[in-house]
Amino acid sequence: MIDPMDVLWILAHPEPRSLNGHLATEGQRALRAGGHRVEESNLYAMNWNPVVDTAGYAHPSAERFQVAAAAKRAHESGAVSADIRAEQEKIERADTIVIQFPMWWFGMPAILKGWFDRVWHQGFAYGLRGPNGEWIGYGDGFLAGKRAMAVVTMGGPGWLFGERGIHGAVDDLLFPLQHGTLFYAGAEVLPPVLVSGADRFTPEEGEAAAEQLRGRLLAIPTTEPIAFRTQNGGDYGQDLVLRPDIAPGLAGLRAHVA
Amino acid sequence: MIDPMDVLWILAHPEPRSLNGHLATEGQRALRAGGHRVEESNLYAMNWNPVVDTAGYAHPSAERFQVAAAAKRAHESGAVSADIRAEQEKIERADTIVIQFPMWWFGMPAILKGWFDRVWHQGFAYGLRGPNGEWIGYGDGFLAGKRAMAVVTMGGPGWLFGERGIHGAVDDLLFPLQHGTLFYAGAEVLPPVLVSGADRFTPEEGEAAAEQLRGRLLAIPTTEPIAFRTQNGGDYGQDLVLRPDIAPGLAGLRAHVA
């Protein structure tokens, strides 16, 4: 018997009649049929504003706008704009976050990037909150205890995103999201659901992708997260650089996975 | 005697009174003083729309929206929206593109990501145009002959973005932009100008950063580009995977730099 999950599903695709639309519908249906609760932020349908601006944090335009500090102040005084606050309340209600998007220019569509830019701000997702008022992050952030999983469609064939494929290995391309954003804020990050060849999908391939997705979604409670190294787990020194005896000789993004 | 450059400067920062605002002003001033021409797209000042939508490509909303195909059709029929077309004309006039932004969540601010999402579309930046109608890219794209350079501010200290720093090595974090976007479209990509510690900048540090930037800008014509491997240079097989004898045993993003 698995406890029901409270899933927040972030979707960033302009076309409901797309493969992404199909996968979102089928994935959410499978979760609900499995007894889980799903709340959705369909960013295109919501006409989400992805641009960080003074209005989001009630910052007076006469004063110099320092984004992180302004967001933190607005957070503390309850002045964050209603659209941002509504997303944060969804995050607070969820124990599991699914982030679904088509890979555009090897990253998130702007509407989704700006969801993180605006919602995931200092004071809400990260900041000072250690036992001695110290900065926390990378496994110890404010969203600790939640799980997150990316669902990503890619236009080209999968081998182009393989270990030596010309586009670069997909795990490395997703590092800024999975490590730098989700794990930074404390979430356990599950291996992504990857759907390649999305440009030319037959209905049968779409159904196979949906079947893979359903299986991964229902297995979230028992799936092992990516073993990113935590900030305070002993692998990094005081300077937050990997200690010499950890993954010796290894450089680049892979060094940050145990 | 160096030929004058035609520089397009893309800026993505909400606050003119910021370090980024200072660097943009000083950098452009230095270029003009050096006899070069500068055109600017200040995305915040322009109120740039970063969200890919049907309106940008005059796509009928009753029909399923397949982004790349719709953009290509609009490009061929001259139906791309005026705001996108204006940016493309700036790109066409330029031989050098500077892309300046603060690193937010280890990537571009949404307003800039969406500049690429909307402007850098199939038919304009990449597509079918080889001698036998084949797909071109990675060194052979439509923007071949232009140079591009990123100017990036980062909030934390530089060593956090070093080879073993906790945020991940900055060259890897910039790979989606520098390799997957700029080099994909054919541009020669110069090593980025990196300004770390931007959260706590003194006027003296700002001046030092401006001085570094001025030097790098004026040296663009004689700076060696990053040695990304070209698609058709022989390092990749027909499947666009690195040949076994190229960088043997190496995997991940670094394998794509000669």
Side-chain angles (χ1 to χ4, degrees), chain A residues 13-15 17-19 44 48 50-53 61-67 104-111 113-114 116-117 120-121 125-126 138 159-160 163-169 172-173 175-177 179-181 184 199 229-231 236 239-256, chain B residues 13-15 17-19 44 48 50-53 61-67 104-111 113-114 116-117 120-121 125-126 138 159-160 163-169 172-173 175-177 179-181 184 199 229-231 236 239-256:
Chain A
H13 197 284
E15 175 55 87
R17 294 161 292 188
S18 61
L19 172 63
Y44 268 91
W48 174 257
V51 178
V52 166
D53 57 14
S61 57
E63 280 176 34
R64 181 174 162 186
F65 183 35
Q66 295 188 284
V67 177
W104 287 354
W105 293 117
F106 306 104
M108 292 179 274
I111 200 170
K113 177 56 168 58
F116 286 104
D117 287 350
W120 216 251
H121 61 63
Y126 68 96
Y138 291 118
W159 66 81
L160 299 184
E163 285 294 281
R164 289 166 56 86
I166 195 168
H167 290 331
D172 295 334
L173 299 173
F175 189 87
L177 169 63
H179 177 268
T181 308
Y184 184 72
D199 282 346
R229 303 179 190 278
T230 59
Q231 176 179 304
Y236 298 94
D239 56 359
L240 299 183
V241 174
L242 278 173
R243 294 182 190 279
D245 56 316
I246 302 294
L250 199 58
L253 306 183
R254 309 289 173 95
H256 302 287
Chain B
H13 198 285
E15 175 56 84
R17 293 161 292 188
S18 61
L19 172 63
Y44 268 91
W48 174 256
V51 177
V52 166
D53 57 15
S61 58
E63 280 175 35
R64 181 174 161 185
F65 183 35
Q66 295 187 285
V67 177
W104 288 353
W105 293 117
F106 307 103
M108 292 178 274
I111 201 170
K113 178 55 168 58
F116 286 105
D117 287 349
W120 216 250
H121 62 63
Y126 68 97
Y138 291 118
W159 67 81
L160 299 184
E163 285 295 282
R164 289 165 58 85
I166 196 167
H167 290 331
D172 295 334
L173 299 173
F175 189 87
L177 169 63
H179 177 268
T181 307
Y184 184 73
D199 282 347
R229 303 177 190 281
T230 59
Q231 176 179 304
Y236 298 94
D239 56 0
L240 299 184
V241 174
L242 278 173
R243 294 182 190 276
D245 56 316
I246 302 295
L250 200 58
L253 306 182
R254 310 289 174 95
H256 302 287

Side-chain angles (χ1 to χ4, degrees), chain B residues 88-103:
Chain B
Q88 293 172 339
E89 288 171 357
K90 292 179 192 171
I91 294 168
E92 287 163 353
R93 285 194 288 271
D95 51 41
T96 305
I97 305 174
V98 172
I99 298 126
Q100 185 195 347
F101 60 100
M103 192 180 270

